[in-house]
Amino acid sequence: MSEQANPFESLQEQIDDAAEYIDASDDVLERLKHPERVLETNLSVEMDDGSIEVFKAFRSQFNGDRGPYKGGIRYHPGVSRDEVKALSGWMVYKTAVVDIPYGGGKGGIVIDPNEYSEAELERITRSFATELRPFIGEDRDIPAPDVNTGQREMNWIKDTYETLENTTAPGVITGKALDSGGSEGRVEATGRSTMLTAREAFDYLDKEMADATVAVQGYGNAGWIAAKLLENLGAKIVAVSDSSGAVYNVEGLHARDVKGHKNETGSVVGYAGADEEFGNDDLLTLDVDLLVPAALENAIDGDLAREVQADVIVEAANGPLTPEADDVLTELGVHVFPDILANAGGVTVSYFEWVQNRQRFHWSEDRVNDELEGVIVDAFEDLTSAYEEHDLPNFRTAAYVVSLQRVIDAYTESGNWP
Ligand code: GLU
């Protein structure tokens, strides 16, 4: 993994690349390259042994021209101000590319959650929720899960907010458990959009999905669900990895069995159905039809990109390719379908959850999945139309051309006050 690329600079470069094809003034563009505000806070929390520990936490509200700020909260030791800024910016363009009425935000706590008890994590989360309270709200800023957070943390945040505000406001946060106002289909939604994007991409490129070989880097919620759903389409998952390493079988692994092994042992490594094991980087350079990076930012830098042999990359993670990697892959003719489309299922079903919360109504899983499919297929068409119409160098630029234009239109149409 490259340590060099700063994700915030990567975001700004991606906007600049797309801006070449858009009629927008420099000052309007400049405005769209910086967050509107960033909350930085130090949470002092009592540990189980009575000591106090301090945790740095952030919430970046990047842009709200198209609606309330929207985006997850991650718990990871690598969280930094610039990472959160970048991730919040990617959310702006993600919500715009799938055309749901939100802006972009993102938060994070600098923490390795594996080192803390559940009671400690609850106090840390409630402390963060208390700090966030004045900044969030059903129509203001709506957090959600991200790396190392899920229904449990979302429920704690909702409960803290509602208690402090003395109200009922389930739409203040999404990704909740079903009993707390969550939506059917939300847990699988990110991986589902990766599968749908890959399906549409293969169709667009006239490639067969049946028996296509697939490598998935990262076997968390996004990676494993994408693997399972791609397998349902007839693809052969030949390699998957997590932070401990990769497992490989040329005949195909069984996505569900690998997940079972990971649940039992904590890692995909050691899975009995594999006939080879190697490091993460080796997975990224396998000769496969489809590569799905589903871990963290900067997984593929310029040097590694030169060794990539996959025909198509569909990004389940946020920001897994550095801008240099993008340039190299464009030159090599590898088709990259970007994160802001391919993992947008998470935020799209978050939107459905919020709509259901506001309406005090519950949709069936089939309805959620059908509506999600419609959103991703429409967005895919918008992206490929822009790609063809402007003769763009790659699909990432196409996604930014579409989304940047939508944000600029919302801004210019509603005036620029102040
Ligand atoms: N964390 C997810 C993302 O990066 C989901 C955000 C949301 O549901 O608001 O897209």
Side-chain angles (χ1 to χ4, degrees):
M1 185 188 294
S2 160
E3 296 299 331
Q4 295 130 25
N6 174 328
F8 183 55
E9 287 165 14
S10 301
L11 164 78
Q12 295 187 320
E13 218 171 306
Q14 288 158 349
I15 296 171
D16 281 335
D17 286 347
E20 284 178 39
Y21 304 92
I22 281 180
D23 184 20
S25 63
D26 285 350
D27 48 357
V28 166
L29 279 171
E30 193 56 28
R31 191 181 159 270
L32 297 177
K33 284 158 65 177
H34 302 276
E36 289 174 14
R37 65 190 67 80
V38 182
L39 167 74
E40 177 173 339
T41 173
N42 294 295
L43 312 170
S44 305
V45 184
E46 188 176 339
M47 299 292 99
D48 291 342
D49 66 2
S51 64
I52 302 286
E53 207 167 314
V54 178
F55 300 88
K56 192 165 282 301
F58 305 93
R59 180 78 183 169
S60 168
Q61 297 179 332
F62 200 96
N63 180 279
D65 291 341
R66 299 184 65 262
Y69 309 103
K70 185 82 190 82
I73 292 177
R74 68 171 54 180
Y75 289 2
H76 196 272
V79 164
S80 69
R81 194 181 177 91
D82 270 0
E83 185 196 51
V84 169
K85 279 160 63 179
L87 289 162
S88 67
W90 285 325
M91 287 308 301
V92 175
Y93 300 102
K94 190 183 300 187
T95 52
V97 89
V98 288
D99 209 5
I100 56 176
Y102 288 139
K106 196 73 141 208
I109 304 182
V110 185
I111 185 175
D112 179 353
N114 298 316
E115 291 177 4
Y116 297 88
S117 70
E118 181 162 9
E120 288 169 336
L121 288 171
E122 177 168 354
R123 288 195 294 277
I124 294 163
T125 304
R126 288 189 185 275
S127 167
F128 192 28
T130 306
E131 289 298 319
L132 286 174
R133 188 190 57 81
F135 300 92
I136 61 176
E138 291 186 301
D139 292 311
R140 190 172 296 144
D141 181 355
I142 305 145
D146 198 79
V147 174
N148 291 331
T149 59
Q151 295 180 339
R152 183 182 66 174
E153 289 74 15
M154 301 307 111
N155 289 358
W156 287 332
I157 295 173
K158 168 183 173 275
D159 182 61
T160 309
Y161 180 86
E162 290 185 332
T163 304
L164 294 173
E165 291 282 321
N166 189 24
T167 190
T168 301
V172 69
I173 194 150
T174 59
K176 303 177 292 292
L178 280 180
D179 289 339
S180 297
S183 176
E184 307 286 349
R186 175 63 185 83
V187 172
E188 295 212 338
T190 306
R192 185 169 288 277
S193 59
T194 304
M195 175 277 286
L196 291 168
T197 303
R199 188 192 74 188
E200 295 302 298
F202 270 49
D203 196 39
Y204 182 76
L205 299 168
D206 270 332
K207 286 174 68 71
E208 263 309 308
M209 187 56 88
D211 285 329
T213 51
V214 181
V216 181
Q217 184 224 16
Y219 218 56
N221 187 44
W224 116 257
I225 299 289
K228 180 184 84 169
L229 296 177
L230 285 164
E231 207 173 67
N232 289 349
L233 293 184
K236 209 158 48 162
I237 312 299
V238 294
V240 304
S241 70
D242 58 25
S243 50
S244 306
V247 290
Y248 176 82
N249 187 334
V250 71
E251 300 303 331
L253 306 157
H254 293 281
R256 238 176 246 280
D257 292 351
V258 182
K259 174 66 175 162
H261 175 80
K262 185 174 164 76
N263 286 349
E264 266 170 42
T265 65
S267 170
V268 299
V269 173
Y271 169 61
D275 54 16
E276 250 185 90
E277 293 191 356
F278 36 72
N280 245 301
D281 280 4
D282 295 323
L283 175 140
L284 297 167
T285 55
L286 283 173
D287 186 4
V288 285
D289 297 308
L290 171 64
L291 174 63
V292 179
L296 293 171
E297 302 92 75
N298 296 343
I300 305 183
D301 63 11
D303 289 340
L304 199 61
R306 286 182 191 89
E307 294 170 42
V308 165
Q309 300 184 70
D311 299 336
V312 179
I313 296 180
V314 175
E315 297 178 329
N318 288 310
L321 272 54
T322 66
E324 197 195 338
D326 253 338
D327 292 344
V328 171
L329 292 167
T330 300
E331 224 178 276
L332 292 176
V334 178
H335 300 292
V336 177
F337 290 85
D339 47 5
I340 60 171
L341 171 68
N343 69 28
V347 73
T348 303
V349 176
S350 276
Y351 168 55
F352 299 157
E353 180 175 332
W354 180 81
V355 167
Q356 293 169 75
N357 291 156
R358 308 306 294 269
Q359 298 183 335
R360 304 290 192 263
F361 195 69
H362 189 78
W363 295 4
S364 69
E365 189 174 350
D366 282 349
R367 175 165 180 194
V368 169
N369 290 344
D370 284 353
E371 300 261 3
L372 172 61
E373 181 164 357
V375 167
I376 298 297
V377 169
D378 284 354
F380 189 92
E381 275 170 23
D382 291 346
L383 190 148
T384 45
S385 302
Y387 176 75
E388 289 168 20
E389 189 188 324
H390 301 279
D391 196 16
L392 298 172
N394 55 47
F395 297 104
R396 188 184 316 280
T397 308
Y400 278 91
V401 164
V402 170
S403 53
L404 198 52
Q405 191 62 59
R406 286 183 181 152
V407 180
I408 291 171
D409 288 348
Y411 175 63
T412 39
E413 280 163 21
S414 56
N416 342 334
W417 184 85

